[in-house]
Amino acid sequence: MFNLFDFNEKGALNVHELTLALRTIVSGVMKVADNPFPVKEEDVDKVAERAFEWWSMPECLKHSHAFSADEHSLSKQGFTDFLLTCVETMSFLACCETDLPTAMAIDFEPESVSLDVRAEAKSKVEPWREQLQLLAPAGVQEDADVPPRVKLELEEIFGRNENTPAVFCANGDILFAAGSMVVKIAHQGSSRAFFHHHSGHVCGLDVAWGSDGCDVVASSDIGSETTATSICVWRAETLDLVVSIPTSHIGGCSRLAFSPSGDLLVSIFDNKHGVRANDATVAVFDWRNRALVYSASYASSKVFDVRFLLSDNVFAVCGGDEVFFYTRMRPSMPYIKQRGVFNIASTHEIMTSIGVCAGKFVVTGSAGGKLYQWEGRVCVKLLDSFSSPITCIASSRDCLHAATSRGTVVSLNQELEVLSRQAVNKHLHEDRRSIGSVRWHPDLNRLLVEQDSGLFCLPLDNGDDKLEHLALGHSGVCDFSFRDDSLVTVGGDLVKVWSVSSKPSSSVLREGTVEGAALSCVAIDPRGRNKQIAVGFEARPERRSGDKSFAILSFDGLTTLHLGSNSLQTLTSCRYSGDGSLLAFGSEDGCIYVHKSTRPELPLLSKLRGHSSPVTKFDFGCDSGTSEPKYVRSNCSGEALFWTTHGKRQTPLSRRDTVWETSTCIYTPDLIGVHSTGDVASCCVLDDGGCGDQADVVVGDASGKLRVLSYPSHFPNATHLEYRCHSGSISKIESSCSTVFSASRGVVFKWKKKVLWWEEGLTCSSEDTAELERSTNARAPPSGTSPTVMQAAIDQMRGQEDIVVTAPPPHKPRDPWRRSIVPPSDYVQRNCALPDSTLVNTDTSEQRFWTHSSPAGSMTCLAPHRSRPVIAVGLDD
């Protein structure tokens, strides 16, 4: 059939030849069929145009010079791919399989079948699958699924969860939340460890000091739309989980507090769903028994603080302009709710915090900068000596420390007289000085202060010059870029440049602001000399044509070099080309704006139109053997498009051999398999990492899971490593030769790449942040059509003497050993030393035994490891 309609004998069909071929076949079959179904020529023409993807292009582009003559032609292999992946042609073959016309005989090779026939159904919600269907590599065998050869180890965290307090342990260690983890900074040596039993954003944290040095920590996560909030109680020293308390609340736990004895735990839940949506619930748990002791709901969700007071029988809640006290006579009785009485003055102040001064009386702070002293549930004293809202209260031996939104810590004695005022980070802008939490340590005599997403230790007997930086962050960070040991983060109107090679790695080299702008994206100029930083702006309601939408900053001083205009909507992403000659911005209006960065005024080179939703990712590409950026591929929600840098739309087939400078687009033929599980949000292809020709890819999804897979990934459920530390959609991933960065919800994680050698197997680090996931479900054969339809066509065509047909081999289930044995890529013979100790000797103190727990089974084989003191035992049960 192909040769019959190849009139010019060039070995390719153009759109007119393919249209004529399909019209002829359909018309002939309709004439000889018993009950023909009427088919319009317009429908046949649309099927033919689909092979060249004209149906998805505007009319003005169908005959544009952006397409060459070769791009308008379909090779024999491409013709075969189209017939066996198109739903209409396969349906036509299925209807005619009982009496297949001779003219329908086609010659094909088994490796040409590469896609699932159900892709047409998926394409209705995932257009990118249809747009890239002809780019899928042929001849990919199922045995190509191999485990990744690179694992990730968490090395550094830039930022922390805002509005989640940091706490002191009894030995001076510090705990704070980042993503879905709790980070422990050791008091001696500043080493870091991670508690990672949460699956959602950690929003509550408190610690109960133990008399024997065994501190107990309670942490809670925010859950999800379908997952309720959970509370974990664990040991601070070992990070071992003690108990997990499930709840029925969806929306998160904003406050946690232990009772003075450490036996009870009180919490505030923000209900987002259900009958009492937008209400707040206060609950008291006997955490050792996982029992709910008491709960009460509030008609308003504005409950700011909760705390046990002088005993386990009394706790207080503040929210709105009210304070409620809960008391019980003894542990066996329920708590009784009583409203606080403002005896000396009426108030409409918003109550923000609760504290106990020196273990003697209760105080509350307000948004109006006032302190209220309480006896029982009656207010007996009012102190109005603060010029800004009180955000939190901490108590020391004989003092009370109140922090304000202007970054001042005020110390008061037991008579509520002001002893001192200390300004924390006076150099910060007034909008960034607000202190989120403050905690006191009796032995260190220091305050742990949270400010501007950073953690600081403030000595009570020293000034600001003795302030110790523990962990720095960037409040509201929305994007980052990494190059040459420098990390740049943007958020709000602030730009920060971090050093990621020096110690400590979380050191800010410099920071600057772009006045009057809210930043949304960033990119670093790759050119070595005169390096610059490009930042995009968020849209404002009053933005008009000609208003500035991006800026170019100097890398060294963060001074503004140029302000430019392009989109009226928010710029979602930006990127320099590999040679630095072009700078492009993706926008919420579905367009990409390409600028010439070699000229100081950055003129607009082209505007790439065509996406139906905001542009999320894009990459520059060039022809093989050149470095000049000529092409762009881009993604939005479910779409993948191709362009020239001058704005001409390209077909996916025309860009099959393009060399892409980066691999941030998630919709590509080499990443089809990663979309089988989870909603993929970002990706980054790693180099071989010393593993020979094999490369790996890091993929982040909308739920916060980070996966490492072998690249390319063509099949679903591939063997992968999974890391759970993010608490939201992973918006961006970047890598260098030895480092990977990933970001979500204002926190940037720095990972160190390590090679998984053959002798070590595929075990991860001792921490449980990574899990090796192996596929156990048998997959369908990598075929573009059903075996029944294909075999019917083959059997019919075998009757033709001049046609040689090679039938695709039947699908063979994957051998189990292929999943557990990975051939070594660079195996090196090593000398193995004997273990230090033996398994059996006469000394009973050195004897070690292992007994199988099941009485029905017996051991059948045994093998020791050649370099480690490990033994594998086989069982027959």
Side-chain angles (χ1 to χ4, degrees):
M1 177 179 174
F2 181 91
N3 296 334
L4 180 63
F5 289 93
D6 184 16
F7 300 123
N8 52 16
E9 298 182 353
K10 291 185 176 180
L13 298 181
N14 58 35
V15 65
H16 304 296
E17 293 170 339
L18 180 59
T19 302
L20 181 60
L22 295 183
R23 283 189 180 185
T24 303
I25 296 301
V26 173
S27 176
V29 172
M30 290 179 63
K31 291 179 180 179
V32 300
D34 295 334
N35 297 309
F37 184 80
V39 179
K40 298 180 181 180
E41 289 186 351
E42 292 80 1
D43 297 333
V44 177
D45 295 347
K46 290 181 180 179
V47 175
E49 291 178 356
R50 187 178 302 169
F52 300 86
E53 298 196 355
W54 279 23
W55 62 276
S56 62
M57 302 178 191
E59 286 292 331
C60 59
L61 293 180
K62 288 187 177 181
H63 304 284
S64 170
H65 293 290
F67 305 99
S68 64
D70 293 337
E71 295 169 2
H72 283 280
S73 61
L74 197 64
S75 65
K76 193 172 185 178
Q77 182 64 43
F79 173 76
T80 304
D81 289 341
F82 171 71
L83 291 185
L84 296 180
T85 56
C86 176
V87 173
E88 288 82 357
T89 56
M90 292 308 303
S91 176
F92 183 81
L93 287 174
C95 293
C96 303
E97 64 181 358
T98 57
D99 188 15
L100 194 66
T102 303
M104 284 297 296
I106 56 174
D107 51 339
F108 63 94
E109 297 177 356
E111 60 266 23
S112 65
V113 182
S114 56
L115 290 179
D116 191 342
V117 292
R118 290 172 293 182
E120 179 70 16
K122 297 179 181 179
S123 67
K124 294 180 180 180
V125 294
E126 296 178 318
W128 67 271
R129 293 186 182 272
E130 185 170 325
Q131 293 162 350
L132 302 179
Q133 60 180 345
L134 296 182
L135 291 183
V140 178
Q141 301 297 324
E142 186 172 351
D143 290 341
D145 176 21
V146 296
R149 296 304 303 271
V150 171
K151 70 176 181 179
L152 303 180
E153 289 187 357
L154 188 59
E155 189 175 32
E156 184 65 38
I157 298 176
F158 299 85
R160 52 181 299 274
N161 295 353
E162 298 184 30
N163 302 321
T164 304
V167 295
F168 268 126
C169 294
N171 62 356
D173 294 347
I174 295 173
L175 304 175
F176 69 92
S180 63
M181 301 188 306
V182 178
V183 185
K184 182 176 77 171
I185 304 178
H187 176 59
Q188 300 293 337
S190 299
S191 62
R192 300 197 175 194
F194 309 96
F195 176 80
H196 40 71
H197 286 272
H198 289 285
S199 59
H201 187 80
V202 177
C203 53
L205 186 64
D206 195 25
V207 60
W209 291 2
S211 57
D212 54 354
C214 297
D215 298 345
V216 178
V217 183
S219 56
S220 62
D221 58 53
I222 203 171
S224 64
E225 294 183 357
T226 58
T227 305
T229 298
S230 65
I231 299 175
C232 293
V233 181
W234 44 284
R235 301 188 184 279
E237 183 180 4
T238 61
L239 305 182
D240 292 333
L241 180 66
V242 177
V243 64
S244 178
I245 305 174
T247 70
S248 59
H249 301 279
I250 296 179
C253 176
S254 58
R255 285 291 188 273
L256 282 176
F258 278 102
S259 64
S261 67
D263 296 332
L264 300 180
L265 186 65
V266 64
S267 60
I268 299 176
F269 293 99
D270 300 322
N271 300 319
K272 301 299 182 183
H273 305 281
V275 178
R276 304 191 65 86
N278 298 322
D279 290 355
T281 301
V282 176
V284 179
F285 295 93
D286 178 1
W287 61 267
R288 286 187 173 88
N289 299 315
R290 302 177 66 188
L292 178 64
V293 176
Y294 177 83
S295 67
S297 297
Y298 290 85
S300 172
S301 61
K302 295 181 179 179
V303 179
F304 295 104
D305 200 5
V306 61
R307 186 168 300 187
F308 278 97
L309 302 181
L310 302 177
S311 70
D312 290 11
N313 296 326
V314 183
F315 70 90
V317 176
C318 66
D321 57 354
E322 298 174 323
V323 179
F324 292 94
F325 294 86
Y326 295 80
T327 60
R328 65 181 183 181
M329 298 301 296
R330 52 181 179 270
S332 60
M333 299 182 64
Y335 287 95
I336 299 176
K337 176 182 176 181
Q338 294 179 310
R339 187 191 302 271
V341 178
F342 292 90
N343 188 37
I344 60 175
S346 61
T347 178
H348 294 288
E349 297 280 345
I350 302 297
M351 296 295 155
T352 60
S353 54
I354 304 175
V356 178
C357 181
K360 295 183 177 181
F361 57 86
V362 179
V363 295
T364 59
S366 72
K370 298 182 177 63
L371 272 180
Y372 298 82
Q373 180 181 344
W374 300 81
E375 288 186 3
R377 65 185 184 95
V378 179
C379 180
V380 296
K381 187 175 183 179
L382 173 64
L383 178 65
D384 187 7
S385 60
F386 296 84
S387 59
S388 57
I390 298 173
T391 57
C392 51
I393 297 174
S395 177
S396 59
R397 289 190 185 92
D398 53 0
C399 295
L400 186 74
H401 308 281
T404 69
S405 61
R406 292 189 178 180
T408 302
V409 177
V410 181
S411 300
L412 305 98
N413 59 17
Q414 299 182 24
E415 304 298 327
L416 295 185
E417 298 173 343
V418 177
L419 298 177
S420 64
R421 298 176 186 266
Q422 292 180 276
V424 182
N425 293 316
K426 293 182 290 186
H427 65 280
L428 293 177
H429 190 272
E430 184 176 351
D431 296 338
R432 299 165 51 196
R433 292 181 187 172
S434 180
I435 296 176
S437 65
V438 58
R439 295 294 178 100
W440 174 72
H441 195 285
D443 297 332
L444 302 177
N445 197 27
R446 291 186 174 189
L447 289 177
L448 178 61
V449 179
E450 184 274 319
Q451 183 186 50
D452 193 35
S453 292
L455 292 178
F456 309 90
C457 258
L458 177 66
L460 294 180
D461 53 355
N462 290 284
D464 195 17
D465 55 335
K466 296 295 184 180
L467 191 68
E468 180 184 357
H469 294 205
L470 299 175
L472 299 180
H474 187 160
S475 179
V477 61
C478 58
D479 195 16
F480 75 93
S481 184
F482 169 73
R483 190 177 296 274
D484 298 337
D485 296 330
S486 295
L487 178 71
V488 179
T489 58
V490 295
D493 63 348
L494 184 65
V495 182
K496 285 189 177 183
V497 180
W498 306 72
S499 172
V500 295
S501 60
S502 60
K503 296 295 181 180
S505 57
S506 57
S507 60
V508 179
L509 296 178
R510 50 194 170 273
E511 60 181 57
T513 59
V514 181
E515 296 295 336
L519 308 181
S520 59
C521 56
V522 63
I524 304 178
D525 189 345
R527 292 171 292 186
R529 301 179 62 184
N530 301 323
K531 189 182 296 184
Q532 301 173 352
I533 299 175
V535 293
F537 300 166
E538 290 184 4
R540 294 189 174 183
E542 66 274 11
R543 181 182 287 183
R544 299 179 180 179
S545 178
D547 289 349
K548 305 307 179 183
S549 54
F550 71 92
I552 306 299
L553 311 177
S554 64
F555 185 83
D556 296 330
L558 297 181
T559 57
T560 302
L561 303 178
H562 176 77
L563 290 172
S565 304
N566 44 39
S567 176
L568 296 179
Q569 299 189 30
T570 297
L571 298 180
T572 57
S573 57
C574 63
R575 181 173 300 278
Y576 279 94
S577 61
D579 60 359
S581 61
L582 298 177
L583 171 64
F585 294 90
S587 173
E588 282 189 350
D589 60 10
C591 299
I592 300 175
Y593 299 83
V594 183
H595 296 261
K596 285 187 175 181
S597 57
T598 55
R599 299 174 60 180
E601 62 274 15
L602 271 76
L604 183 65
L605 177 63
S606 60
K607 180 180 179 180
L608 314 183
R609 299 182 176 92
H611 280 294
S612 59
S613 59
V615 177
T616 56
K617 311 289 181 184
F618 64 88
D619 300 309
F620 284 103
C622 55
D623 292 324
S624 179
T626 67
S627 60
E628 179 184 1
K630 292 184 178 180
Y631 311 105
V632 175
R633 66 177 179 185
S634 57
N635 291 167
C636 72
S637 179
E639 293 180 355
L641 299 180
F642 298 81
W643 327 77
T644 67
T645 53
H646 290 273
K648 296 179 180 179
R649 182 82 167 270
Q650 301 284 284
T651 62
L653 278 176
S654 66
R655 302 278 63 83
R656 182 191 290 257
D657 299 324
T658 300
V659 178
W660 300 105
E661 296 177 349
T662 53
S663 300
T664 63
C665 288
I666 60 177
Y667 303 132
T668 67
D670 291 330
L671 292 176
I672 292 179
V674 304
H675 293 271
S676 60
T677 57
D679 185 7
V680 177
S682 57
C683 68
C684 181
V685 177
L686 309 178
D687 56 19
D688 56 26
C691 302
D693 296 332
Q694 179 178 331
D696 291 333
V697 61
V698 182
V699 177
D701 62 21
S703 64
K705 294 179 182 178
L706 198 69
R707 291 179 289 161
V708 182
L709 307 93
S710 176
Y711 182 81
S713 177
H714 297 128
F715 298 103
N717 303 319
T719 303
H720 62 276
L721 292 169
E722 187 172 291
Y723 300 84
R724 303 169 187 258
C725 64
H726 290 274
S727 59
S729 179
I730 301 176
S731 58
K732 192 173 185 179
I733 303 174
E734 288 193 359
S735 71
S736 64
C737 58
S738 60
T739 306
V740 175
F741 290 89
S742 58
S744 67
R745 295 195 67 163
V747 181
V748 180
F749 294 84
K750 177 187 176 185
W751 307 82
K752 184 177 181 181
K753 295 192 297 186
K754 285 196 172 182
V755 176
L756 286 170
W757 297 105
W758 170 250
E759 292 88 353
E760 298 176 1
L762 289 172
T763 57
C764 304
S765 61
S766 58
E767 301 174 0
D768 294 332
T769 53
E771 298 179 3
L772 179 63
E773 301 287 345
R774 293 180 180 272
S775 172
T776 57
N777 299 325
R779 291 194 289 267
S783 174
T785 184
S786 66
T788 303
V789 175
M790 183 182 297
Q791 191 62 42
I794 293 172
D795 294 341
Q796 184 70 23
M797 289 185 289
R798 288 195 187 279
Q800 310 301 318
E801 298 180 356
D802 297 334
I803 299 178
V804 179
V805 180
T806 304
H811 174 63
K812 182 180 179 181
R814 188 184 187 114
D815 295 326
W817 64 269
R818 294 185 183 275
R819 291 197 177 275
S820 56
I821 302 297
V822 181
S825 59
D826 45 9
Y827 178 81
V828 179
Q829 182 67 35
R830 299 178 182 177
N831 295 325
C832 301
L834 293 176
D836 296 332
S837 61
T838 59
L839 291 177
V840 179
N841 57 33
T842 56
D843 188 356
T844 57
S845 63
E846 291 293 332
Q847 293 185 12
R848 302 172 186 177
F849 300 95
W850 179 81
T851 304
H852 183 39
S853 59
S854 175
S858 60
M859 292 175 282
T860 59
C861 57
L862 180 144
H865 196 280
R866 66 184 185 84
S867 60
R868 293 182 292 179
V870 177
I871 296 177
V873 179
L875 306 174
D876 64 353
D877 59 342

